[in-house]
């Protein structure tokens, strides 16, 4: 038997040693032909992308088209790269469209956003791999997948990696489904910002700075509400924050599973939160974000529409800086880490207040002067570590009593 095992070992070793070297990647250009197809496309056309590796030097754009499908041969077979981009910020951009489907290809290394879709009613991104190939870097573009000001958005079975803001993002849009995607090595894995009627489910968000964000920010064209986040795996989001300084996501402490900022009518249920070293779920107001960024210089503009800290947010009279009607129930929390991380100020604070194990749910506790009943409702089946920070009073009234936020049937019904 030993002789047989030794023989097999030698065969495996010999096979590994004699494996032929990989062929070098051959890059080709289809830039002019493909841009021409985008311009000439007619209602109902299917544009087939060939198998291979293709380099682009400027933004590939399609504007004002309806009922178009752009289809590659597979995420690992059709690779579109903007590594040598000389014009434009985006890699691919779809604008003012209706019923557009993009599927089965990869986009890489744009200066700004890899794939942007704006002002489009009906956009499907399916099996798109959008990455910065050299891994996480501050110099990377902001968004891997970036629908904004759209309606009827579907993003499914995609992969996003390396974004210096959010990997899978939707902004100022309505009627959105984000499902069965993977996001890793981004600052924010998945983000819904100022969007309404959003469902985020079946996704894996791991090794980002923050796993999933649901944000409402001031100074934009619309505000978000009515979001459901369920059946996701949100684990080990402990990556160093590599966002540009001053950007809103630069405020996310590494180790954040999910962050809820100043939005309302949100349900979070049946998710797995695992091994996030700062917090499982954080519920915070814009007051806290502004306080944490006090002294930061507001940025006037950024490549790719990145949202920066707004020091003048109180001037937006329509903006509500406080989260309300947040319902958290039936999730599963686990953590192999014994202590909250000491790598950021929030982690240090939580370590002081919750010495053993990072907390599962943290609420900043800053009161809304216009709304005494906030509808923050927590109903977990297992014992959790909860902290109400009372941040407005320098943590003097900090409490770990989650019973104050126990759900009742009336609260549950109000969110449906």
């Amino acid at each position: 038997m030993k002789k047989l095992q030794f023989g097999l070992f030698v065969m495996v070793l010999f096979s590994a040693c004699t494996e032929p070297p990989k062929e070098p990647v051959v890059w080709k250009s289809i830039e002019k032909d493909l841009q021409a197809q985008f311009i000439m496309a007619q209602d109902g056309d299917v544009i087939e992308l060939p198998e291979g590796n293709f380099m682009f030097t400027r933004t590939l754009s399609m504007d004002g088209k309806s009922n178009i499908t752009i289809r590659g041969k597979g995420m690992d077979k059709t690779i579109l790269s903007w590594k040598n981009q000389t014009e434009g910020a985006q890699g691919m951009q779809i604008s003012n469209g209706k019923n557009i489907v993009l599927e089965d290809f990869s986009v890489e290394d744009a200066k700004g956003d890899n794939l942007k879709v704006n002002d489009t009613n009906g956009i499907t991104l399916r099996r798109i791999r959008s990455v910065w190939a050299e891994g996480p870097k501050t110099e990377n573009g902001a968004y891997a997948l970036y629908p904004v000001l759209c309606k009827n958005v579907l993003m499914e079975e995609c992969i996003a990696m390396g974004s210096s803001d959010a990997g899978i993002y939707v902004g100022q849009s309505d009627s959105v489904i984000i499902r069965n995607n993977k996001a890793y090595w981004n600052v924010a894995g998945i983000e819904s910002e100022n969007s309404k009627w959003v469902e985020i489910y079946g996704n894996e968000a791991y090794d980002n700075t923050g796993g999933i964000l649901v944000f409402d920010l001031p100074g934009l064209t619309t505000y978000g509400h009515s979001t459901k986040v369920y059946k996701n795996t949100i684990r080990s989001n402990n990556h160093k924050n590599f966002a540009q300084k001053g950007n809103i996501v630069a405020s996310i402490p590494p180790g954040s599973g999910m962050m809820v900022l100043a939005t309302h009518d949100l349900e979070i249920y049946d998710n797995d939160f695992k091994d996030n070293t700062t917090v499982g779920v954080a519920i915070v107001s814009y007051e806290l974000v502004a306080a944490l960024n006090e002294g930061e210089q507001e940025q006037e503009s950024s490549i790719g529409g990145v949202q920066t800290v707004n020091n003048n947010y109180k001037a937006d009279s329509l903006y509500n800086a406080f989260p309300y009607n947040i319902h958290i129930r039936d999730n599963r929390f686990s953590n192999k880490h014994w202590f909250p991380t000491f790598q950021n100020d929030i982690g240090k604070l939580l370590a002081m207040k919750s010495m053993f194990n990072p907390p599962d749910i943290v609420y900043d506790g800053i009161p809304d002067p216009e709304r005494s009943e906030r509808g923050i409702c927590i109903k977990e089946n297992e014992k959790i570590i909860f902290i109400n920070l009372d941040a407005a009073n320098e943590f003097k009234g900090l409490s770990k009593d989650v019973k104050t936020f126990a759900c009742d049937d009336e609260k549950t019904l109000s969110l449906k």
Side-chain angles (χ1 to χ4, degrees):
M1 180 60 75
K2 288 185 178 179
K3 287 184 177 179
L4 177 61
Q5 290 176 337
F6 180 75
L8 289 172
F9 173 76
V10 170
M11 289 175 65
V12 170
L13 185 64
F14 180 77
S15 174
C17 291
T18 57
E19 185 176 339
K22 292 183 178 179
E23 293 290 328
V25 175
V26 177
W27 292 96
K28 303 174 184 176
S29 177
I30 54 172
E31 188 164 22
K32 290 183 179 179
D33 289 344
L34 190 54
Q35 182 61 77
Q37 288 186 63
F38 277 26
I39 293 171
M40 301 299 290
Q42 300 294 310
D43 195 339
D45 277 358
V46 176
I47 298 174
E48 298 281 358
L49 304 177
E51 181 173 342
N53 297 275
F54 305 101
M55 191 67 75
F56 295 80
T57 60
R58 61 187 67 181
T59 298
L60 185 64
S61 59
M62 172 181 283
D63 183 68
K65 303 295 183 181
S66 298
N67 304 310
I68 301 294
T69 296
I70 302 170
R71 180 181 296 145
K73 300 300 183 186
M75 283 194 289
D76 299 323
K77 294 182 177 179
T78 300
I79 316 295
L80 314 182
S81 173
W82 278 264
K83 188 174 180 59
N84 296 325
Q85 187 168 11
T86 57
E87 291 185 32
Q90 281 72 42
M92 182 181 292
Q93 181 164 5
I94 309 294
S95 306
N96 303 302
K98 185 177 180 181
N99 299 332
I100 307 295
V101 177
L102 283 67
E103 60 188 13
D104 294 313
F105 59 91
S106 286
V107 288
E108 296 183 353
D109 295 329
K111 278 188 173 181
D113 312 309
N114 266 349
L115 201 169
K116 180 177 181 180
V117 183
N118 61 280
D119 299 288
T120 292
N121 185 355
I123 176 69
T124 296
L125 306 180
R126 179 180 294 122
R127 294 184 294 276
I128 303 292
R129 177 177 168 272
S130 182
V131 304
W132 279 266
E134 294 183 0
K137 292 194 301 184
T138 301
E139 295 76 18
N140 289 350
Y143 304 115
L145 302 174
Y146 180 28
V148 62
L149 297 167
C150 293
K151 294 183 67 174
N152 299 307
V153 177
L154 171 61
M155 290 188 275
E156 63 178 357
E157 300 177 42
C158 297
I159 296 173
M161 184 275 282
S163 305
S164 63
D165 197 293
I168 297 171
Y169 171 96
V170 62
Q172 302 173 74
S173 299
D174 71 71
S175 304
V176 177
I177 293 176
I178 301 172
R179 66 186 180 195
N180 303 331
N181 303 286
K182 291 184 180 180
Y184 62 97
W185 290 0
N186 308 283
V187 174
I190 298 170
E191 180 178 0
S192 174
E193 184 179 283
N194 291 57
S195 295
K196 53 194 175 186
W197 303 306
V198 179
E199 294 198 37
I200 302 171
Y201 62 91
N203 303 284
E204 288 185 70
Y206 57 96
D207 294 337
N208 306 285
T209 303
I212 295 180
L213 316 182
V214 182
F215 279 13
D216 245 37
L217 303 179
L220 298 176
T221 60
T222 187
Y223 303 96
H225 60 78
S226 303
T227 300
K228 294 182 179 182
V229 180
Y230 57 98
K231 294 185 183 298
N232 300 284
T233 299
I234 305 161
R235 62 177 170 84
S236 302
N237 291 288
N238 306 319
H239 199 285
K240 178 183 177 182
N241 193 321
F242 57 98
Q244 290 277 356
K245 194 175 182 181
N247 290 355
I248 192 74
V249 296
S251 303
I252 302 170
S256 300
M258 181 172 179
M259 182 175 286
V260 177
L261 171 61
T263 190
H264 62 93
D265 292 278
L266 168 63
E267 288 186 88
I268 304 167
Y269 60 95
D270 200 12
N271 299 285
D272 286 292
F273 293 93
K274 186 176 181 182
D275 298 335
N276 301 292
T277 56
T278 294
V279 62
V281 181
I283 309 165
V284 301
S285 68
Y286 204 87
E287 295 262 325
L288 182 64
V289 172
L292 292 173
N293 288 278
E294 190 174 7
E296 286 286 345
Q297 188 170 359
E298 186 176 347
Q299 295 184 13
E300 293 183 359
S301 61
S302 298
I303 292 176
V306 169
Q307 295 302 314
T308 60
V309 176
N310 186 342
N311 296 330
N312 199 31
Y313 68 97
K314 291 183 179 178
D316 184 348
S317 61
L318 300 177
Y319 180 64
N320 187 337
F322 303 92
Y324 63 93
N325 283 353
I326 309 297
H327 187 196
I328 305 175
R329 62 177 171 83
D330 302 322
N331 298 286
R332 293 163 294 278
F333 294 90
S334 63
N335 213 315
K336 67 180 180 183
H337 300 283
W338 284 21
F339 307 102
T341 180
F342 286 85
Q343 300 301 313
N344 62 73
D345 290 341
I346 299 295
K348 292 174 185 173
L349 171 67
L350 296 176
M352 291 174 59
K353 307 301 181 185
S354 175
M355 182 55 75
F356 294 103
N357 297 116
D360 300 313
I361 301 175
V362 170
Y363 173 45
D364 70 6
I366 298 175
D368 179 351
E370 304 294 331
R371 186 186 301 270
S372 58
E373 174 52 55
R374 300 279 290 279
I376 308 296
C377 165
I378 300 172
K379 185 181 181 182
E380 297 294 352
N381 294 320
E382 300 175 354
K383 185 178 179 181
I384 62 167
I385 301 173
F386 168 79
I387 299 179
N388 178 2
L389 287 172
D390 190 27
N393 298 305
E394 298 182 345
F395 317 111
K396 293 177 181 174
L398 183 146
S399 169
K400 297 182 180 179
D401 184 6
V402 72
K403 294 178 183 176
T404 311
F405 299 92
C407 301
D408 56 37
D409 292 339
E410 185 177 346
K411 286 179 179 177
T412 302
L413 289 173
S414 71
L415 291 172
K416 293 185 176 178

